[in-house]
Structures are given as C-alpha cells and as structure tokens.
Amino acid sequence: MQLVTKVFIGFAFLFILWTLYVENDIIKNTPKFDELDDLMRATDRLERLLKFENEHMKKLEKELKSLSGGLKEKYRLQDSIDKSSKSWKEPIPVLVFSCNRASAVREHVKKLLNYRPSKELFPVIVTQDCDNEAVKNEIKNFGDDVQYIKHIAGDKAKITIPMQHRMYTAYYRIARHYKLALDYVFNTKKYTSVIITEDDLDISPDFFSFFLSTRYLMREDPKLWCVSAWNDNGKRENIDIEAYAKLYRSDFFPGLGWMMSSDTWNELSGIWPVGFWDDWMRDPLRRKDRQCIRPEISRTGMTNFGKEGASKGQFFNKHLAKIVVNKENIDFSKIDLDYLLPANFERMFKAEVLEEADLMDISEVTAYVLDPKNKGTSIRVVYTGNIDYIEKADKLHIMHDFKAGVPRTAYDGIVTCFINGVIIQIDFSRVSQSCL
C-alpha cells in the first residue's frame, strides 16, 4: 500500500512539472510575455548604463579635484582669508553728488532705494551744491529714506580760480563740493567707508552686493585704495558679455561709482586739490602704485543726463553712452574673491597673458576675431609706446587716452578687452621689451 502511494505521489509530481512546463511555454509565446521580456532587458541595460555613468562621474570628479589643486600649485595662490572676516558689518553710506538736475536726482535715488537691501547698512546721503529749489524738493520728497545736506553754492563761495582756467570753473566748484561732502561723511558722521555716485549714473541690480562683498579686500590689502563699478572699455563689443561676476585689479582710477575708506580720506583730505580732483588722484604722487578693483561688466552706466555735465558731453556719444550696465543680480557674497588679492591676481593674470595668449600682429586681429572657431581663445598684441598704443586702441575701438601715463583699465601696462569672444591682451610691460 505504501508503495502504491509513493508511486501515485511520484506520478502526480511529474504531472505538475509537465503542466508548469507547458503553461510556461505557452506564456513565452504570448505578446504580453514579449513586452515583459523587452522591459526586463531594457531595465537591465539601464542599470548597467547608470553604473557606468556613476563610475565615470566619480572619475571626472577626481580629475577635477586634481586639476583644481594643479591650478593652485601652478599659480601658487595664497591661502584664503577666513570666511568670517569677509563679511562687512559696518554701514557704507552712498554719497550722491547733485547740483541742478532735478530729474536726474529723482531717477538716480529711486534706483538706489529700490535696490538697496538695508537702510541701516546703506544710508543714502544726497549732497547739493547749487541753489536749485527743484533739486531740493525732489530730495525732500523721499522723506527719511534719504539724508540731505546743503553747502553754500559754489557760485557764491569765494573760490580762487586762475585766470587761464576760468573756462574750467565748474571743475573747481566740483572739487570744493567733494571736499565738503567727504569731510561731512568721514569727519562729522564718522563712517569708515563711502560709495560715491553722481546723479547722472544708472546702477545695476547687484550694485550693493558688489561693493559690500569687496569691502574686506580694501581692509586686507594696503595697495587697494578704491573699488569702482565702472569699466572704461565696457561697451558691448569690447567685453565678455557673459562674465557677470568677473572682476579685475587696475592701476587706473576709474571713478563713476566708486568706494573708498576713511583711511584714504584721512591721507587725502589735508592736501585735496582746488580743481580737477579725479586727475589729481591719478597722479603718481597720490596713487603711490595703488590699485582699484573694476568689473568686466559695469555696475554703473551713464544716463542721458550726462550730456549736461561739466565736461559738456566729452566722450559721451562715442564711449560713455555705450557702456553696458549689468542686468544680472549676482550675489558676490557667494563668490571667493581672494583671487583679487595682489599676489594671487598678479600670478594668475600674468600667466594668462604671458603663457596662454598667442602673440599676434594687430593687422591679423580682425580676420582672427571674425572666425567663429577662435571664440574662447586668447591673443596678445604688443605696443611700444603711447603713440603705438593709441593707434592700436583705435583699431580695437577702445578708449585710447592716458592719464598720468596709465591707459584706461590697465594693469601693469596690460589692457584687456574682448571682441567676438576672443580675449585680447594689449601688452607693453614685458612682451614689448623682449621683442625690441
């Protein structure tokens, strides 16, 4: 009986196996099974692909880390300053110079109030020289959002102007106005910094971030005596229009929206000139080889009110009106700006010019920059003196004038501009000497 039972169970087991085989074979030959099989195969391929990509990404990250270390070694960058010391907490007033342009004052101050992140951190002070009631009323309309200071008008003050300079009277009044207003900010109000603007300037959305985040550099670097929002060669055809956060050091004092410290004013106040204050600051006796920070894309621009200034619109149509104002709201506090410290910047910049830029004659530049495949490359053009620089600057459509022997935007004799995405370094200091 037990044997019969065992045989029966054995046949039953074989029957079940045969049934499963037949059913499985039937399922395999159905369209549904084909779809499931394709899906499983695709899933398997995807898993293998993801595994490969994950391993590839890890390899790239390793290479990038190695490259970063190599760049630091290549340029021998200084260690970064402690992050906590870069955050500037003290108020930085914006000092707006005005005279007789009521509409200009209104539009300029409206933008300042619209963009500033804090009334306490960035108090706005408007200083007026002329006895113009319309200007005064426009400023008063802002209420306690703006501080207003007034001086005896320059045309009523006893200003001594040399006979041969009577045509430049406005420049003497402006210099006096600057002295009075800056003494008020630093000596009366005891601020440690100031951002200086004029009522004919436009400003960018990140105007305040730009100045706040660069202020620590002035404290750390005695060779840095200003931060300027202006690029003298900032026309669209001469800049890298996508380099929103790119900043440079420059031997040239730009002005037109700039910041300085109380230490600098303490040095200059007692010897402040009676006229032409900006050119006076560019004199080697005052500059003392100090430098300024300037942006690739300007954070200030000239409005149409600039036609009515003391210079009577000099350079306005050809250059000033064409300066591009940055429209991107860059948070500079999230960017490590230690590369702008003197040793860091010099090593990186000189390597870019002397090692990475190919030497080229000015006659070859036009054809080179018009070739799309050259976008992103860097070339170097040599100039041998002032006249040679003027001729080459004119061909590149950048400002060609010198102030106290320094070309506009120059760093150690090198002027950087962009045309069609090609970096052009116009170099005098070392390359020209080696080529003579």
Side-chain angles (χ1 to χ4, degrees):
M1 187 65 180
Q2 290 180 351
L3 179 61
V4 174
T5 303
K6 290 180 179 179
V7 172
F8 177 77
I9 293 172
F11 275 108
F13 181 71
L14 290 172
F15 177 77
I16 292 171
L17 288 177
W18 178 82
T19 302
L20 291 172
Y21 174 79
V22 171
E23 289 180 353
N24 188 49
D25 189 58
I26 293 171
I27 291 172
K28 283 184 178 179
N29 290 283
T30 61
K32 191 66 175 179
F33 178 83
D34 291 340
E35 292 179 10
L36 290 172
D37 187 55
D38 290 343
L39 179 61
M40 290 177 67
R41 291 176 184 275
T43 302
D44 182 61
R45 288 196 300 269
L46 181 59
E47 287 178 351
R48 285 187 281 113
L49 180 61
L50 288 174
K51 183 179 179 181
F52 171 80
E53 289 297 331
N54 186 47
E55 292 174 352
H56 185 59
M57 286 300 296
K58 287 181 178 179
K59 182 180 179 181
L60 288 177
E61 288 175 359
K62 186 176 180 180
E63 291 177 354
L64 183 60
K65 186 176 181 180
S66 175
L67 177 61
S68 177
L71 286 174
K72 185 170 183 179
E73 178 63 26
K74 175 183 177 182
Y75 297 124
R76 299 186 300 280
L77 296 186
Q78 298 172 340
D79 291 334
S80 295
I81 296 170
D82 179 59
K83 189 174 182 180
S84 62
S85 68
K86 301 178 184 180
S87 179
W88 194 260
K89 304 297 184 183
E90 298 178 34
I92 307 178
V94 181
L95 182 62
V96 181
F97 283 84
S98 67
C99 184
N100 57 5
R101 299 180 292 197
S103 297
V105 170
R106 180 181 64 250
E107 296 306 312
H108 182 68
V109 174
K110 278 171 62 177
K111 276 210 166 181
L112 287 171
L113 299 183
N114 183 44
Y115 289 146
R116 75 173 174 181
S118 166
K119 178 180 178 180
E120 291 70 32
L121 187 57
F122 293 106
V124 174
I125 304 171
V126 182
T127 174
Q128 184 186 4
D129 186 38
C130 310
D131 289 333
N132 186 291
E133 285 297 313
V135 168
K136 179 180 178 180
N137 291 335
E138 288 290 354
I139 300 169
K140 293 291 187 180
N141 286 338
F142 291 106
D144 61 3
D145 283 329
V146 170
Q147 300 176 41
Y148 171 65
I149 55 175
K150 178 73 175 67
H151 312 283
I152 296 175
D155 59 347
K156 295 180 180 177
K158 296 180 180 180
I159 302 176
T160 301
I161 302 173
M163 183 63 68
Q164 65 272 25
H165 280 183
R166 290 295 171 87
M167 67 182 71
Y168 303 120
T169 295
Y171 292 99
Y172 285 81
R173 292 175 181 173
I174 290 170
R176 170 185 172 271
H177 189 188
Y178 265 72
K179 176 68 164 63
L180 294 172
L182 289 168
D183 274 343
Y184 173 81
V185 167
F186 289 121
N187 300 340
T188 303
K189 302 296 288 185
K190 305 298 183 183
Y191 288 114
T192 59
S193 316
V194 69
I195 299 169
I196 298 167
T197 70
E198 298 173 18
D199 58 11
D200 56 2
L201 293 180
D202 189 10
I203 65 170
S204 67
D206 59 355
F207 176 87
F208 291 97
S209 175
F210 169 72
F211 283 113
L212 184 63
S213 298
T214 53
R215 179 58 180 88
Y216 83 95
L217 293 168
M218 296 175 67
R219 178 193 61 212
E220 298 294 333
D221 178 11
K223 285 183 63 66
L224 191 64
W225 74 328
C226 96
V227 175
S228 174
W230 182 264
N231 177 0
D232 279 289
N233 291 319
K235 295 183 292 186
R236 180 171 295 274
E237 61 267 30
N238 291 134
I239 59 175
D240 183 352
I241 197 63
E242 296 181 354
Y244 308 113
K246 179 67 174 177
L247 308 179
Y248 298 82
R249 294 180 71 97
S250 175
D251 298 309
F252 190 84
F253 171 76
L256 295 175
W258 59 286
M259 175 171 62
M260 74 168 171
S261 70
S262 56
D263 290 337
T264 300
W265 183 244
N266 290 338
E267 173 192 338
L268 300 178
S269 177
I271 56 173
W272 192 251
V274 295
F276 307 99
W277 69 268
D278 48 352
D279 284 340
W280 177 84
M281 286 190 68
R282 293 166 182 143
D283 189 286
L285 293 176
R286 256 71 60 187
R287 188 168 70 83
K288 299 177 182 177
D289 292 324
R290 288 177 290 194
Q291 297 172 329
C292 295
I293 300 296
R294 61 97 175 167
E296 173 66 22
I297 306 176
S298 288
R299 265 56 190 184
T300 54
M302 186 67 66
T303 66
N304 285 330
F305 297 110
K307 292 180 179 179
E308 307 166 15
S311 65
K312 307 301 182 184
Q314 183 185 24
F315 301 128
F316 184 84
N317 291 324
K318 188 174 181 180
H319 289 288
L320 300 182
K322 297 180 180 180
I323 299 298
V324 175
V325 181
N326 178 60
K327 300 302 181 185
E328 299 293 322
N329 196 358
I330 303 300
D331 185 354
F332 281 96
S333 68
K334 296 182 179 179
I335 301 172
D336 186 356
L337 299 178
D338 284 0
Y339 73 90
L340 292 164
L341 291 170
N344 294 349
F345 188 82
E346 180 177 10
R347 288 174 182 131
M348 287 192 296
F349 188 79
K350 297 297 177 61
E352 290 173 359
V353 175
L354 301 179
E355 297 175 16
E356 300 173 15
D358 294 327
L359 188 61
M360 184 174 293
D361 189 85
I362 188 68
S363 62
E364 303 172 288
V365 171
T366 299
Y368 187 86
V369 300
L370 289 176
D371 191 336
K373 74 174 184 292
N374 294 324
K375 184 176 181 179
T377 62
S378 180
I379 62 175
R380 186 174 62 224
V381 175
V382 175
Y383 68 97
T384 57
N386 290 16
I387 300 300
D388 190 34
Y389 178 81
I390 291 170
E391 292 175 352
K392 289 171 178 175
D394 285 344
K395 290 180 180 180
L396 297 172
H397 303 289
I398 60 176
M399 295 195 77
H400 67 215
D401 60 322
F402 289 74
K403 297 288 185 179
V406 180
R408 293 180 186 268
T409 78
Y411 172 81
D412 198 13
I414 303 168
V415 174
T416 301
C417 69
F418 290 75
I419 299 180
N420 288 344
V422 177
I423 307 170
I424 303 175
Q425 310 281 7
I426 309 107
D427 182 20
F428 171 76
S429 54
R430 284 150 309 281
V431 177
S432 60
Q433 293 169 7
S434 65
C435 292
L436 291 177

